[in-house]
Amino acid sequence: MTGQSSYVLTSMDRIMNWARANSLWPLAFGTSCCAIEMMMSSMASRHDLSRFGAEVVRPTPRQADLLILAGTIVKRMAKPLRVLYEQMPEPRYVIATGACTISGGPFTYNSYTTVRGADEIIPVDVFVPGCPPRPEALIYGIMTLQKMIKTGEAYGQPYQRRRPITAALPPGMTQAQLQKEIAEFLEAHATIDVDKAAHNNRWEKERY
Amino acid sequence: MSLEIRTLSEIMNPPQTADSPLSTQEYFVNMGPQHPATHGVLRLVLKMDGETIREVIPVLGYIHRSIEKMAEYLHGRQIVHLTDRMDYLSALANNWAVSRAVETAMGVQTNPRIETIRTLICELQRVQSHQLWWGVLGLDLGALTSFFYGFRDREEITDILEETTGARLTMNYIQPGGLMFDLHPNFVPRVKAFIKYFRPKLDEYETLLSENVILQERLRNVGVLSAEDAIGYGATGPVLRASGIPLDLRKQQPYGVYDQVEFSVPVGTVGDCWDRYWIRIEEMRQSLGIIEQLIDNIPDGKFMEMKPAAKLKLPAGSFYLQIETARGSLGVFLQGTGEDIPHRCHFRSPNFNNLWSVTKTAVGGKIADLVAIVSTLDLVIPDVDR
Ligand code: SF4
């Protein structure tokens, strides 16, 4: 994605990346609703995550190298989360699942506590959209991360901020395209004529 | 109960007293906010004396998402989707609570079909919620198999609900005035097949975990909550019923079609972890019985009584309503001012009150007992913090 790695990928790196990608140890970090779907996919028997070598869920950050953020992050949780991330050994990867970790999700507007996007606190490698994402989506997100690791994309370059990518985009769609579309949509629809809105509830009439 | 208000720093830094040479030293252990046994981001500060717990101080706010404040900006119909995210294991019951509050405020009547489907689908979810609790209880106490069993059977209900509601977890299905969609044609045959499948499985649960001596030893006479304390802390649901008080809003203030079905309310005698365990297992049986009685008798009718585009105007005044979710009674308080958004919206969540009973029951026990107690309280932390 970045296309400008500062090092050459040797065959030794390749072997190490291959090994890392296939033995991810996630940290059990579920804050809310998304955690249930994470449990459904990671440990329960139907969507068996051990087929992809990422089911050894560890309760302590010292033994884990993959942080699966499942659930809303609020301001009070931000500091402990950063500490957790710092405690994990390098190389460490982060998958953020759910709309909440991408943008605040259902709690974007009018909420005084939610952190709008987990990547404001820690660097995120892969975003998995959904509210909550289906177990299949999370598995796809993990496979995306594995692909990134294997190609050296997420190879630990400490303290270098990477751009997160979104797993499960619609076919033929890129992240930049999507962001542009959302920006255009907001541009077109989010402007409010204050005078008009104050006097007659225009938005209501259009909607209903 | 004596009420004593101290700040956390006062508790953590007690004034120095002259120690006798033989006294042990008290110290603090922080459990959470990231701890696998606290089911989310609950933080418990434990005052320990050796291995014995002297005091438990729950610290909240790590998942406070300001749902009540957000509800002041939303219409009655829009609040429903926030309640999914409060107690996500009984999302439908939460939807129902808000919908009923709005319906009561506006004086909307629903037809028997809507009420039957609501009852049916909430009982399904009660079973689902207890399955998850049962699996996680085993996991907390060190038995991984129960986790696999519970989640395997939970998937069956998730599939049935997904077909009808379109979502696996946050369903947003019960709306003020009716339901989002009609029942899926597969619903009735699949529920019948599920009941046939799950009844023997429930007996298997009992053989696997309930009859296990280790589990019984770890649950019996641990975390005893007396009836007075349970009432004092405002505990509801299985936690209160385990202490011997047969309060179940489905019986006492019947809503839906609970007054037309036969079921019994299991009540404990001691109030220990074992009673809470046993009550939830028995509730699963009762819920299956309710579903069996209703599944063949779904009346015909519309699935929505209001125009979906109609604006909901909450009349002036305060409205309070309770229903029984899988964890206890959830109360919804709405204050309308004649506009479409409420002036104030408050949720009385069962988990919040159930949580505080731990400050009484865990004292004098060991940390391992605390894990069992927290697990049998069946807490959902986003519902505590909201
Ligand atoms: S994205 Fe949706 S399901 Fe996930 S934590 Fe946020 S509100 Fe809950």
Side-chain angles (χ1 to χ4, degrees), chain B residues 251-318:
Chain B
K251 277 270 189 230
Q252 262 82 22
Q253 308 167 2
Y255 53 93
V257 290
Y258 283 119
D259 46 356
Q260 297 162 26
V261 287
E262 274 185 22
F263 65 101
S264 52
V265 179
V267 176
T269 47
V270 188
D272 56 356
C273 289
W274 173 255
D275 275 354
R276 295 195 275 271
Y277 173 90
W278 173 83
I279 278 180
R280 288 209 178 86
I281 294 274
E282 192 55 36
E283 267 187 12
M284 279 199 250
R285 291 223 168 80
Q286 298 298 334
S287 291
L288 288 182
I290 296 177
I291 296 168
E292 259 172 357
Q293 290 171 45
L294 288 177
I295 192 70
D296 283 324
N297 309 319
I298 304 177
D300 288 333
K302 284 197 289 188
F303 66 89
M304 190 62 168
E305 284 289 344
M306 276 197 239
K307 261 194 275 167
K311 210 168 173 180
L312 305 181
K313 270 218 162 39
L314 283 179
S318 309

Side-chain angles (χ1 to χ4, degrees), chain A residues 42-96:
Chain A
S42 63
M43 297 199 268
S45 39
R46 184 184 291 183
H47 312 275
D48 188 6
L49 204 49
S50 54
R51 291 176 295 161
F52 306 100
E55 92 290 6
V56 199
V57 180
R58 295 281 110 179
T60 160
R62 306 274 183 206
Q63 299 171 353
D65 59 357
L66 168 64
L67 177 57
I68 300 183
L69 279 179
T72 325
I73 312 294
V74 301
K75 284 178 186 153
R76 187 155 190 196
M77 197 63 211
K79 201 177 156 200
L81 174 61
R82 181 77 211 187
V83 172
L84 274 181
Y85 178 74
E86 304 282 354
Q87 282 176 338
M88 282 165 56
E90 290 275 359
R92 53 198 172 200
Y93 313 104
V94 179
I95 293 183

Side-chain angles (χ1 to χ4, degrees), chain A residues 27-37 39-40 43-47 58-61 71-77 80 84 100 106-114 131-136 201 203-204 207-208, chain B residues 33-34 36 39-41 43 59-67 69-70 73-75 77-78 81-82 84-85 88-89 132 136 139 144 147-148 151-152 154-156 158-159 162 168-170 308-309 311 340 381-382:
Chain A
L27 170 72
F29 182 74
T31 55
S32 53
C33 354
C34 279
I36 299 295
E37 289 293 76
M39 276 151 73
M40 291 295 252
M43 297 199 268
S45 39
R46 184 184 291 183
H47 312 275
R58 295 281 110 179
T60 160
T72 325
I73 312 294
V74 301
K75 284 178 186 153
R76 187 155 190 196
M77 197 63 211
L84 274 181
C100 282
F107 307 98
T108 308
Y109 301 110
N110 304 329
S111 167
Y112 54 86
T113 48
T114 321
C131 183
R134 296 178 61 88
E136 293 91 334
N201 217 334
W203 182 78
E204 292 294 328
R207 183 118 187 253
Y208 298 132
Chain B
Q34 193 267 330
H39 296 198
V41 285
R43 178 173 163 213
V59 184
L60 305 181
Y62 287 95
I63 187 69
H64 173 60
R65 301 187 279 192
S66 60
I67 286 180
K69 189 70 191 167
M70 287 173 71
Y73 294 91
L74 298 176
H75 301 184
R77 198 174 273 132
Q78 293 170 325
H81 91 274
L82 287 180
D84 279 336
R85 275 100 187 151
Y88 38 80
L89 292 180
L132 183 127
V136 174
L139 188 69
L144 196 59
F147 185 85
F148 292 131
F151 273 63
R152 177 195 63 196
R154 192 176 184 273
E155 278 283 1
E156 306 289 328
T158 310
D159 280 351
E162 188 189 358
R168 283 168 59 90
L169 194 67
T170 49
K311 210 168 173 180
D340 41 5
I381 309 305

Side-chain angles (χ1 to χ4, degrees), chain B residues 151-310:
Chain B
F151 273 63
R152 177 195 63 196
D153 300 337
R154 192 176 184 273
E155 278 283 1
E156 306 289 328
I157 300 187
T158 310
D159 280 351
I160 296 172
L161 291 181
E162 188 189 358
E163 239 176 22
T164 290
T165 66
R168 283 168 59 90
L169 194 67
T170 49
M171 283 135 183
N172 196 14
Y173 179 63
I174 296 175
Q175 297 285 316
L179 309 163
M180 200 76 153
F181 318 104
D182 209 347
L183 276 187
H184 194 276
N186 278 352
F187 182 81
V188 175
R190 284 191 76 165
V191 168
K192 279 184 191 161
F194 169 76
I195 290 179
K196 218 172 179 185
Y197 161 85
F198 189 57
R199 277 218 188 260
K201 288 281 182 284
L202 202 49
D203 298 335
E204 211 174 292
Y205 283 17
E206 298 257 33
T207 330
L208 182 72
L209 216 53
S210 314
E211 291 173 10
N212 189 317
V213 182
I214 301 174
L215 184 99
Q216 296 209 4
E217 287 292 314
R218 286 202 62 181
L219 295 187
R220 271 190 206 278
N221 293 325
V222 168
V224 179
L225 183 68
S226 66
E228 293 98 70
D229 284 338
I231 295 174
Y233 283 110
T236 44
V239 179
L240 179 67
R241 291 197 282 275
S243 300
I245 297 169
L247 178 88
D248 189 331
L249 293 178
R250 294 177 294 168
K251 277 270 189 230
Q252 262 82 22
Q253 308 167 2
Y255 53 93
V257 290
Y258 283 119
D259 46 356
Q260 297 162 26
V261 287
E262 274 185 22
F263 65 101
S264 52
V265 179
V267 176
T269 47
V270 188
D272 56 356
C273 289
W274 173 255
D275 275 354
R276 295 195 275 271
Y277 173 90
W278 173 83
I279 278 180
R280 288 209 178 86
I281 294 274
E282 192 55 36
E283 267 187 12
M284 279 199 250
R285 291 223 168 80
Q286 298 298 334
S287 291
L288 288 182
I290 296 177
I291 296 168
E292 259 172 357
Q293 290 171 45
L294 288 177
I295 192 70
D296 283 324
N297 309 319
I298 304 177
D300 288 333
K302 284 197 289 188
F303 66 89
M304 190 62 168
E305 284 289 344
M306 276 197 239
K307 261 194 275 167

